[in-house]
């Protein structure tokens, strides 16, 4: 008996020490104690303050991007089969109000080769519907079912990419999820607790970072001094499959340069695998990047065929660098001439986290001030302490010395719950505080079940030790039943709820699991320690 008690006591002590370490660590001063507590018990947006953003995913960008990639593949296939054409184009993303209207137009297919052309489209482009415009011209439009799938995938990828970017910013306990307000399926909700510079965070989140590396028009590779200068020299009409873009202003430069570049890029951010900031031999900032195997093959083929031509590195429709191809480049490269460490670091973050599949448009931005969070914390703590004090008073008044047993188990339950929040890197929110308070009620309920069962056994004439054994044994299944049903309810809340509802479910579930340990294992151990020295005890303070 004594050996068994010692083992159980060691388990309880070790549990307490592990929990305390998870909450406060090993502080050496009062200041360090509060620093550790603040670091380990993370607060959610409603307590800490921060930014609340609602953004709309511009799904038409992804549809246009898919169409442009299809054009690129189609051109290669037509060349292989010696099928001629005069032009291919796709609806401009900025001119499209409904993604369903994005259409690929192919002109100049000879009538004698129309059969081979149709067979190629039917075999390799099953997501598109081919429509004949006349004897030589055709249009392609994505099928409705595939269009819906692309939109959903675009929103999901956007959420994943923004999550990656926020994680690289080091924003703790952020939340990015789909937002169904106003019946839209393309809105996302972003919550950033404790963000010191929300403007910069919004810029990093909202930038599409559509990296494109594409060729510069050979006839005008020195650029233009302005958009008006470019249009004047081009006769007011841009060449087919080319676009005019501005270059990022350089430090000390006067005016802004413009370049004529190919619409269809050599590679995009989708082929990126890694990127890191650094400095070149003359200590100028740059971002080095590596490509996927497929991207490396495409890049190597293009650079090998266009040595001494120029390439433009385009980020969000702005040219960040124009470089001359000196030799064949395959799986790695550098974006040079960046202005600062911050610029190089931000660019590497964009590339590592991947390009957003579509642009995002800010719809709503709210800031939760820290004073509101402080009020919430104060009120939550006050209500929790008041409830705990009332419970402790009633337990001690009604169950006398045995009530001390319940109070100790209750305190340990709270410690375990806070430690679990710390170890799981979860955030404590207002719904989480509600879960803690509800857990206190469940813990008291378990102790009441056990104590009342012991009372019933004592009334039947059983001895104290036998009554305690029977009380814990018979109350066990009732406690398990109530806790399991509540955990199942929490599981449904977690599966179908969002944000704060999930936080409430997680907090309550952890508290319930801890309660089984404290109300049964810890409480029973305390009773056994007291009874082990009084085998002849005839009454029990309960």
């Amino acid at each position: 008996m004594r050996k068994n008690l010692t083992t159980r006591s060691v388990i309880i002590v070790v549990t307490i020490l592990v929990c305390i370490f998870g909450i406060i660590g090993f502080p050496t001063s009062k200041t360090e104690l509060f620093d550790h507590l603040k670091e380990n018990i993370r607060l959610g947006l409603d307590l800490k303050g921060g930014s609340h953003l609602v953004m709309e995913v511009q799904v038409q960008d992804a549809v246009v991007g898919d169409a442009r990639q299809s054009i690129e593949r189609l051109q290669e296939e037509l060349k292989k089969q010696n099928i001629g054409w005069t032009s291919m184009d796709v609806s401009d993303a900025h001119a499209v109000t409904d993604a369903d209207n994005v259409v690929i137009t192919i002109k100049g297919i000879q009538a004698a080769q129309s059969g081979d052309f149709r067979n190629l489209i039917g075999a390799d482009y099953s997501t598109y519907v081919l429509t004949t415009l006349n004897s030589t011209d055709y249009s392609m439009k994505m099928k409705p079912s595939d269009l819906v799938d692309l939109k959903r995938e675009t929103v999901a990828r956007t959420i994943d990419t923004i999550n990656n970017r926020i994680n690289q910013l080091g924003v703790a306990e952020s939340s990015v999820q789909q937002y169904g307000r106003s019946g839209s399926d393309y809105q996302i909700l972003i919550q950033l607790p404790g963000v010191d510079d929300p403007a910069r965070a919004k810029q990093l989140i909202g930038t599409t970072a559509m990296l494109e590396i594409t060729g510069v028009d050979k006839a005008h590779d020195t650029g233009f001094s302005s958009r008006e200068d470019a249009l004047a020299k081009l006769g007011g009409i841009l060449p087919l499959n080319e676009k005019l873009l501005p270059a990022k202003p350089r430090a000390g430069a006067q005016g802004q340069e413009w370049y004529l570049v190919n619409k269809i890029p050599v590679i995009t951010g989708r082929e990126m695998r890694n990127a890191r900031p650094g400095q070149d031999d003359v200590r100028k900032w740059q971002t080095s990047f590596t490509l996927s195997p497929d991207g490396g093959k495409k890049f190597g083929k293009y650079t090998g065929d266009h040595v001494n031509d120029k390439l433009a590195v385009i980020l969000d429709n702005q040219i960040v660098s124009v470089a001359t191809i000196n030799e064949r480049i395959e799986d790695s490269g550098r974006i040079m001439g960046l202005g600062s460490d911050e610029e190089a670091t931000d660019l590497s973050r964009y590339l590592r986290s991947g390009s957003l599949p579509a642009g995002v448009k800010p719809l709503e931005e709210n800031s939760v001030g820290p004073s509101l969070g402080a009020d919430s914390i104060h009120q939550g703590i006050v209500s929790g302490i008041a409830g705990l004090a009332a419970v402790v008073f009633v337990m001690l008044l009604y169950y006398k010395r045995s009530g001390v047993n319940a109070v100790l188990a209750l305190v340990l339950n709270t410690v375990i719950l806070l430690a679990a929040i710390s170890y799981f890197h979860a955030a404590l929110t207002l719904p989480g505080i509600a879960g803690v308070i509800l857990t206190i009620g469940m813990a008291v309920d378990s102790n009441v079940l056990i104590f009342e069962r012991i009372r019933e056994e004592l009334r039947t004439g059983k001895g104290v030790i036998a009554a305690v054994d029977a009380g814990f044994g018979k109350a066990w299944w009732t406690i398990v039943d109530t806790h399991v049903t509540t955990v199942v309810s929490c599981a449904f809340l977690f599966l179908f709820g969002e944000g704060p509802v999930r936080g409430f479910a997680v907090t309550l579930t952890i508290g319930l699991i801890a309660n089984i340990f404290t109300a049964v294992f810890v409480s029973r151990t305390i009773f056994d320690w007291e009874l082990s020295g009084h085998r002849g005890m005839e009454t029990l303070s309960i």
Side-chain angles (χ1 to χ4, degrees):
M1 177 69 176
R2 176 67 63 176
K3 182 178 180 181
N4 185 29
L5 276 175
T6 302
T7 302
R8 285 189 283 166
S9 300
V10 169
I11 293 174
I12 295 171
V13 171
V14 170
T15 301
I16 294 173
L17 293 177
V18 170
C19 291
I20 293 176
F21 174 77
I23 297 173
I24 62 174
F26 291 117
T28 58
S29 64
K30 184 178 180 180
T31 302
E32 191 173 345
L33 170 64
F34 285 106
D35 288 342
H36 287 179
L37 187 63
K38 183 178 179 181
E39 179 182 352
N40 293 331
I41 305 300
R42 298 168 177 83
L43 303 180
L45 181 68
D46 51 359
L47 298 179
K48 191 175 184 179
S51 297
H52 170 105
L53 306 173
V54 177
M55 293 187 169
E56 185 173 49
V57 182
Q58 306 297 296
V59 292
Q60 67 269 22
D61 291 347
V63 180
V64 173
D66 184 86
R68 287 178 176 168
Q69 286 189 338
S70 298
I71 284 181
E72 183 181 0
R73 298 199 324 268
L74 180 58
Q75 288 177 345
E76 293 293 331
E77 293 295 331
L78 292 178
K79 287 179 182 178
K80 290 179 181 179
Q81 298 191 23
N82 295 319
I83 300 175
W85 78 94
T86 57
S87 68
M88 290 188 196
D89 204 359
V90 65
S91 304
D92 187 359
H94 300 288
V96 174
T97 57
D98 182 357
D100 290 342
N101 294 330
V102 174
V103 178
I104 299 173
T105 304
I106 306 105
K107 297 183 178 180
I109 302 293
Q110 297 298 320
Q113 296 178 313
S114 61
D116 294 335
F117 174 74
R118 289 174 176 274
N119 291 335
L120 173 62
I121 298 300
D124 297 340
Y125 297 86
S126 58
T127 59
Y128 283 86
V129 176
L130 183 66
T131 303
T132 302
L133 301 178
N134 54 51
S135 60
T136 60
D137 299 344
Y138 299 85
S139 67
M140 293 170 56
K141 186 176 179 181
M142 187 172 287
K143 294 178 181 178
S145 59
D146 292 297
L147 184 63
V148 170
D149 290 342
L150 178 59
K151 291 178 182 178
R152 290 175 178 171
E153 181 186 358
T154 299
V155 175
R157 286 179 54 201
T158 299
I159 291 174
D160 291 341
T161 301
I162 290 178
N163 255 323
N164 290 337
R165 291 184 182 177
I166 291 174
N167 290 338
Q168 291 183 33
L169 284 174
V171 179
E173 309 311 325
S174 59
S175 172
V176 183
Q177 59 192 14
Q178 195 161 350
Y179 191 61
R181 186 173 180 177
S182 301
S184 173
D185 293 329
Y186 313 129
Q187 293 181 9
I188 54 177
L189 171 64
I190 304 169
Q191 293 182 327
L192 307 173
V195 174
D196 295 328
D197 188 358
R200 181 167 179 264
K202 186 171 68 173
Q203 179 184 5
L204 288 171
I205 293 167
T207 302
T208 55
M210 291 296 290
L211 180 80
E212 299 176 339
I213 300 181
T214 189
V216 177
D217 187 288
K218 285 185 180 182
H220 307 90
D221 61 0
T222 57
F224 304 95
S225 60
S226 65
R227 180 178 179 84
E228 291 72 21
D229 175 48
L231 293 175
K233 291 180 179 179
L234 296 170
I237 301 176
L238 297 180
L240 289 173
N241 297 320
E242 292 189 344
K243 57 185 177 181
L244 188 63
L245 294 178
K248 187 176 182 179
R250 291 176 294 179
Q254 295 182 351
Q256 188 176 41
E257 292 181 310
W258 290 72
Y259 288 89
L260 194 62
V261 299
N262 297 332
K263 281 187 177 180
I264 299 177
V266 181
I267 58 171
T268 68
R270 294 183 178 89
E271 280 83 32
M272 289 291 167
R273 286 298 174 266
N274 195 15
R276 62 182 183 276
Q279 292 179 300
D280 59 17
D281 296 337
V282 294
R283 308 295 293 174
K284 289 188 176 181
W285 289 102
Q286 65 180 21
T287 296
S288 303
F289 62 87
T290 56
L291 304 173
S292 66
D294 291 340
K297 289 178 183 178
K298 289 195 295 183
F299 201 52
K301 182 179 183 302
Y302 183 89
T303 54
D305 294 339
H306 295 81
V307 174
N308 295 324
D309 292 344
K310 289 187 175 180
L311 277 174
V313 179
I314 303 169
L315 189 66
D316 292 339
N317 286 320
Q318 185 178 52
I319 298 172
V320 296
S321 178
V322 175
T324 301
I325 303 172
N326 296 321
E327 59 184 0
R328 179 186 177 92
I329 305 171
E330 291 193 358
D331 58 354
S332 63
R334 295 178 295 172
I335 300 175
M336 306 176 66
L338 302 177
S340 64
D341 178 21
E342 183 178 3
E343 185 179 358
T345 301
D346 286 349
L347 180 56
S348 67
R349 282 172 174 163
Y350 292 141
L351 303 183
R352 282 199 307 269
S353 62
S355 295
L356 287 175
V360 287
K361 177 183 177 183
L363 297 180
E364 179 185 330
E365 178 183 1
N366 294 321
S367 295
V368 179
S371 60
L372 177 60
D375 290 341
S376 300
I377 294 173
H378 176 72
Q379 293 175 6
I381 292 177
V382 169
S383 61
I385 293 177
L388 183 61
V391 168
V392 169
F393 176 76
V394 171
M395 293 296 289
L396 293 178
L397 179 66
Y398 192 68
Y399 292 112
K400 303 179 179 62
R401 284 184 58 190
S402 295
V404 176
N405 187 333
V407 171
L408 292 176
L410 185 60
V411 171
L412 181 56
N413 186 304
T414 305
V415 171
I416 293 174
L417 179 56
L418 293 177
I421 292 175
S422 173
Y423 280 118
F424 292 155
H425 302 287
L428 185 62
T429 62
L430 280 177
I433 293 177
V436 173
I437 295 174
L438 182 56
T439 299
I440 292 174
M442 295 288 291
V444 171
D445 179 66
S446 298
N447 280 281
V448 169
L449 283 173
I450 294 171
F451 290 172
E452 291 301 318
R453 193 67 190 180
I454 293 174
R455 274 184 169 181
E456 291 179 2
E457 297 299 326
L458 289 173
R459 291 193 187 106
T460 62
K462 287 186 177 180
V464 171
I465 295 177
V468 169
D469 288 339
F472 275 95
K474 292 180 180 180
W476 163 250
W477 290 111
T478 303
I479 294 173
V480 170
D481 180 59
T482 56
H483 283 57
V484 168
T485 53
T486 308
V487 168
V488 170
S489 301
C490 291
F492 280 99
L493 289 176
F494 185 83
L495 289 174
F496 300 106
E498 294 182 356
V501 176
R502 283 189 166 191
F504 172 80
V506 171
T507 304
L508 183 56
T509 300
I510 294 173
L512 292 172
I513 295 173
N515 184 46
I516 292 178
F517 173 74
T518 56
V520 178
F521 186 83
V522 175
S523 183
R524 177 63 188 268
T525 302
I526 295 174
F527 268 115
D528 288 347
W529 265 112
E530 184 177 358
L531 295 176
S532 63
H534 304 83
R535 303 299 296 178
M537 182 181 294
E538 297 181 358
T539 61
L540 184 65
S541 174
I542 197 169

